[in-house]
């Protein structure tokens, strides 16, 4: 087991990877480990999410309040774009409106996305290297002692296949790919490394499992690793959440009418590009990451709905209090 210890010190320096590994050791199933991790992370981040939503609602109220003034400036300086933008910025600064606040959710989402993705990449790479180390031990312990056919059966049965629901290997994409990675996928997509001490090639160690589990052709549906379910769910929920966040955090375009149209067009394009770009990661990389991304989106939706319902009640109560008139020390 010396090489496995070497992997832990060499590859699992990634914080998220270590947290996932610790959770897996406690839970014992990689699929449920991902689900629990996604839920826990969103719960931990929920105070930040709530603070951000409250802040954005305050910004939105300020924007609505100055909207007539902004429209007046647009009419007044319609032929002077430079002065118009300067006057608009002065008004926003006076009202303490942060013009880049609406971009904050998108920036946080992207930073968190790539941070978590890097953790999953490290974990998948690590676990595939552990599988190879186990196969090397099986090979070394049995070569020359059993027949070639028996050795192949031992190698096939010794391949740790981590399945979850319909996905046969959670470390591979939930698409019509092979269940067992080829050497090119092992060193390329998975970014794993064969140990220098390996007595034989990757194909000799993994070949028996690959022959047993992998598809025989493109349309061998029964032996696909997955059926595009998680990538589709990831893209769909990402698109919905982008639209929801955009509607909840509207921007107030500045500049001339032409400049405003350009800004709105850019935002509309981003509403499509972002989900598709993030969905590509769910398709290209492991089912484990696609599962995390989907569960995370669902949790964000639950938090958003809960926050909206609660905050509407708070605003309703505040509105009722505001309309109360105090006469003679009494509310009426």
């Amino acid at each position: 087991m010396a090489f496995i210890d070497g992997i832990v010190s060499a590859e699992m320096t990634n914080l998220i990877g270590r947290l996932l590994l610790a959770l897996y050791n406690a839970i014992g199933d990689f699929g449920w480990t991902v689900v629990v991790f996604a839920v826990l992370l969103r719960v931990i981040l929920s105070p930040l999410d709530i603070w951000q939503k409250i802040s954005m609602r305050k910004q939105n109220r300020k924007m609505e309040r100055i909207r007539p003034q902004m429209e007046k400036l647009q009419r007044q300086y319609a032929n002077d774009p430079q002065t118009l933008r300067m006057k608009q910025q002065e008004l926003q600064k006076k009202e303490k409106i942060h013009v880049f606040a609406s971009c904050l959710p998108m920036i946080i989402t992207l930073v968190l996305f790539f941070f978590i993705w890097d953790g999953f990449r490290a974990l998948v790479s690590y676990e595939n290297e552990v599988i190879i180390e186990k196969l090397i031990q099986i090979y070394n312990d049995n070569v020359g002692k059993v027949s070639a056919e028996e050795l192949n059966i031992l190698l096939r049965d010794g391949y740790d296949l981590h399945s979850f629901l319909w996905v046969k290997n959670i470390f591979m994409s939930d698409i019509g790919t092979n269940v067992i990675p080829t050497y090119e996928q092992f060193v390329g997509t998975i970014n794993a490394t064969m140990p220098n001490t390996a007595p034989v090639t990757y194909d000799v160690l993994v070949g028996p499992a690959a022959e047993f589990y992998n598809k025989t052709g493109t349309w061998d549906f029964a032996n696909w690793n997955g059926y595009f379910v998680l990538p589709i769910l990831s893209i769909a929920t990402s698109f919905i959440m982008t639209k929801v966040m955009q509607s909840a955090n509207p921007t107030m375009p500045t500049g001339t009418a032409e400049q405003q149209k350009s800004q709105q067009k850019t935002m509309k394009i981003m509403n499509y590009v972002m989900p598709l770009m993030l969905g590509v990661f769910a398709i290209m990389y492991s089912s484990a990451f696609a599962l995390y991304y989907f569960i995370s989106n669902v949790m964000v939706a639950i938090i958003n709905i809960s926050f909206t319902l609660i905050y509407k009640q708070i605003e309703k109560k505040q509105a009722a209090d505001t309309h109360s008139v105090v006469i003679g020390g009494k509310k009426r």
Side-chain angles (χ1 to χ4, degrees):
M1 299 296 290
F3 182 71
I4 292 181
D5 293 337
I7 293 176
V8 172
S9 63
E11 296 294 333
M12 291 307 294
T13 55
N14 183 285
L15 175 61
I16 296 299
R18 285 187 175 275
L19 290 174
L20 285 165
L21 192 59
L23 268 179
Y24 168 65
N25 290 333
I27 296 172
D29 181 278
F30 267 106
W32 287 111
T33 294
V34 173
V35 173
V36 170
F37 173 79
V39 172
L40 286 177
L41 183 63
R42 292 320 312 184
V43 169
I44 291 171
L45 293 176
S46 60
L48 176 62
D49 290 339
I50 293 171
W51 171 82
Q52 178 184 305
K53 288 174 175 56
I54 292 174
S55 176
M56 287 306 304
R57 279 182 174 267
K58 290 179 179 178
Q59 290 284 310
N60 292 343
R61 285 199 295 268
K62 290 179 182 179
M63 286 194 295
E64 285 301 319
R65 190 171 64 248
I66 69 168
R67 187 176 296 278
Q69 298 176 64
M70 294 287 280
E71 292 173 352
K72 181 180 178 181
L73 288 174
Q74 289 169 6
R75 292 191 298 270
Q76 187 175 355
Y77 298 100
N79 299 320
D80 190 353
Q82 186 174 352
T83 303
L84 172 60
R85 184 174 292 275
M86 182 183 68
K87 293 291 184 180
Q88 288 174 330
Q89 290 174 350
E90 287 175 357
L91 178 58
Q92 289 173 331
K93 185 177 180 180
K94 178 183 176 182
E95 295 294 330
K96 297 182 179 179
I97 294 176
H98 306 290
V99 293
F100 296 109
S102 60
C103 300
L104 185 60
M106 186 178 295
I107 294 171
I108 292 175
T109 298
L110 274 175
V111 171
L112 183 63
F113 179 91
F114 286 110
F115 184 65
I116 299 299
W117 171 79
D118 190 52
F120 273 90
R121 181 203 59 78
L123 176 69
V124 170
S125 175
Y126 165 82
E127 286 298 331
N128 274 272
E129 289 175 345
V130 170
I131 290 172
I132 292 300
E133 174 61 20
K134 181 182 177 182
L135 295 179
I136 288 173
Q137 289 180 333
I138 293 173
Y139 182 90
N140 288 337
D141 291 344
N142 294 279
V143 66
K145 299 177 183 178
V146 299
S147 67
E149 183 179 353
E150 290 174 320
L151 179 58
N152 284 341
I153 292 173
L154 289 171
L155 290 172
R156 181 197 70 191
D157 295 342
Y159 193 100
D160 288 331
L161 199 60
H162 297 281
S163 61
F164 185 71
L165 300 178
W166 63 87
V167 180
K168 298 179 178 66
N169 183 358
I170 200 168
F171 297 138
M172 294 291 285
S173 301
D174 179 15
I175 59 176
T177 187
N178 284 319
V179 177
I180 309 298
T182 63
Y183 178 72
E184 288 73 20
Q185 290 172 319
F186 180 81
V187 298
T189 306
I190 295 173
N191 197 33
T193 304
M194 279 289 289
N196 295 327
T197 55
V200 289
T201 64
Y202 175 88
D203 289 333
V204 171
L205 295 170
V206 175
E211 184 178 355
F212 184 79
Y213 290 109
N214 282 355
K215 61 185 181 181
T216 56
T218 303
W219 308 113
D220 183 11
F221 299 114
N223 290 309
W224 279 11
N225 186 59
Y227 302 99
F228 296 88
V229 177
L230 288 173
I232 291 172
L233 288 175
S234 297
I235 293 173
T237 53
S238 178
F239 177 78
I240 292 170
M241 289 312 302
T242 300
K243 296 289 287 184
V244 168
M245 290 173 67
Q246 183 64 28
S247 61
N249 305 319
T251 60
M252 178 174 286
T254 58
T256 64
E258 191 66 30
Q259 290 171 335
Q260 289 183 34
K261 286 181 181 179
S262 177
Q263 293 173 37
Q264 291 169 349
K265 184 178 180 181
T266 300
M267 288 303 301
K268 188 175 181 180
I269 292 173
M270 289 301 296
N271 286 341
Y272 289 97
V273 171
M274 280 286 292
L276 290 176
M277 183 189 74
L278 301 182
V280 167
F281 282 84
I283 293 172
M284 291 179 60
Y285 296 98
S286 67
S287 299
F289 181 73
L291 176 62
Y292 157 78
Y293 189 48
F294 168 64
I295 296 297
S296 181
N297 284 342
V298 171
M299 285 298 298
V300 169
I302 292 172
I303 292 171
N304 268 291
I305 292 171
S306 301
F307 171 81
T308 301
L309 291 174
I310 294 171
Y311 205 81
K312 278 185 176 180
Q313 291 300 316
I314 294 173
E315 288 181 326
K316 189 175 180 180
K317 185 177 182 304
Q318 289 175 342
D321 292 341
T322 301
H323 286 86
S324 297
V325 181
V326 179
I327 299 178
K330 295 181 180 180
K331 280 188 176 182
R332 189 178 66 181

